[in-house]
């Protein structure tokens, strides 16, 4: 239980830090430019919090806890990010009128990398401290 809690918290904090930098600092102007009126002035915190908590549970169940090495955690994390973010971005691309192809491709790549890094950090921290 201790290992799972340490892994969860470290994976969550890593993912929040990475996504905060990506969404808040690096890509906010690009997303506003490419998505325009589709974006809210301020994001809704409750659905965002639910997403992050649930997504990290997926990271734990499918990647961090079953991984036998940090390399495996990185590979499985990348695969989970590829599938999850691909599902979101490709569905939006396929169904939304003013959805940006550029946003889909950038976000899909970002989700793949961010999930791989967060899962790797979660695995390493849990292995070290649990």
């Amino acid at each position: 239980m201790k290992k799972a809690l340490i892994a969860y918290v470290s994976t969550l904090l890593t993912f929040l830090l990475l996504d905060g930098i990506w969404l808040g600092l690096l890509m906010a102007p690009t997303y506003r430019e490419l998505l325009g009126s589709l974006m809210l002035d301020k994001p809704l915190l409750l659905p965002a919090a639910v997403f992050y908590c649930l997504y990290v549970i997926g990271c734990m169940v499918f990647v961090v806890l079953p991984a036998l090495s940090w390399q495996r955690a990185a590979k499985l994390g990348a695969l989970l990010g590829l599938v999850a973010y691909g599902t979101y971005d490709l569905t939006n691309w396929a169904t939304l009128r003013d959805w940006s192809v550029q946003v889909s491709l950038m976000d899909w790549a970002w989700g793949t990398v961010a999930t791989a890094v967060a899962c790797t950090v979660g695995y390493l921290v849990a292995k070290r401290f649990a």
Side-chain angles (χ1 to χ4, degrees), residues 17-35:
L17 177 66
L18 292 171
D19 226 27
I21 292 168
W22 176 259
L23 294 172
L25 298 176
L26 299 175
M27 296 304 294
T30 303
Y31 282 141
R32 289 222 179 274
E33 177 187 328
L34 296 174
L35 296 177

Side-chain angles (χ1 to χ4, degrees), residues 52-73:
Y52 285 111
C53 292
L54 285 174
Y55 192 68
V56 173
I57 288 172
C59 290
M60 297 296 300
V61 169
F62 299 117
V63 178
V64 177
L65 295 177
L68 300 175
S69 68
W70 72 266
Q71 295 94 333
R72 184 90 169 140

Side-chain angles (χ1 to χ4, degrees), residues 6 16 19 23 26-27 34 36 42 63 68 71 75 79 84-85 88-89 92-93 101 110 116 118 124 128-129:
I6 290 171
L16 286 171
D19 226 27
L23 294 172
L26 299 175
M27 296 304 294
L34 296 174
K42 292 177 85 175
V63 178
L68 300 175
Q71 295 94 333
K75 289 175 187 173
L79 179 61
Y85 276 72
Y88 170 78
D89 287 305
N92 285 342
W93 185 2
V101 174
W110 170 248
L124 289 171
R128 170 92 166 105
F129 295 106

Side-chain angles (χ1 to χ4, degrees), residues 55 63 73-86 108 111-112 115-116:
Y55 192 68
V63 178
K75 289 175 187 173
L76 289 175
L79 179 61
L80 178 61
L82 184 75
V83 171
Y85 276 72
W108 195 4
T112 301
T115 305

